[in-house]
Amino acid sequence: MLTTLKTVYTDTCAADLAWTLGREPLPALATLELELADARMELRLLGASHQVLLEEDQGTCSETVACIPGSSTPLPLGVSKRLGDWEYEFAARVETLSRGQFAGRAQELLALVAEHPHGLAGVFPGSPHAFTAMLAQRHEGSVQWRTWHAYPQDGQLVATRTRVGVRTPAAL
């Protein structure tokens, strides 16, 4: 699903993104509710980036990656945590692209997400390449999602990948 977000686009940058787990739902500009097997998910586009709410029999998970004033947790390159019966894995990377590369990559990602039944993308007013996009799937007993946050004024694209799944006992 592709939507134009009804908000003022402010020039933020990749360095302003922060990551948190367990945050309460924040006001969303667009949402997509999904049922992936026994998992209930809500993909949420915020004025400041994204939030994913996940609920399964094993528990709940709330991931927020956003430009939140006063946040003290910058965007990490990687996180691996136990959340009750779950293993939570998060990875992020920032790409800096030329203007032409950025425009091409933006069009490619928006087309991919807009046509996917578990995808949500929002374009900010003022630039067709200022967007946040999210894509979710269920794979081999885990729930996974990817996100992209575009900052055309800096030629930066932030990509994240998250996997949440039931912990498996270590082999002896």
Side-chain angles (χ1 to χ4, degrees), residues 87-169:
E87 300 245 357
Y88 170 90
E89 296 172 0
F90 173 86
R93 78 173 192 283
V94 179
E95 294 179 72
T96 301
L97 305 167
S98 71
R99 188 176 301 263
Q101 289 172 322
F102 191 92
R105 186 77 172 126
Q107 289 174 341
E108 177 184 281
L109 288 169
L110 287 172
L112 169 75
V113 174
E115 294 173 11
H116 197 284
H118 303 143
L120 175 63
V123 176
F124 290 90
S127 171
H129 302 128
F131 68 90
T132 299
M134 309 171 73
L135 189 61
Q137 68 178 359
R138 182 124 187 134
H139 182 70
E140 296 181 1
S142 67
V143 178
Q144 302 174 14
W145 59 90
R146 297 181 66 187
T147 72
W148 298 271
H149 308 263
Y151 301 97
Q153 70 279 6
D154 299 324
Q156 291 187 315
L157 183 66
V158 178
T160 73
R161 181 183 302 262
T162 303
R163 187 189 74 77
V164 177
V166 175
R167 277 194 331 230
T168 54

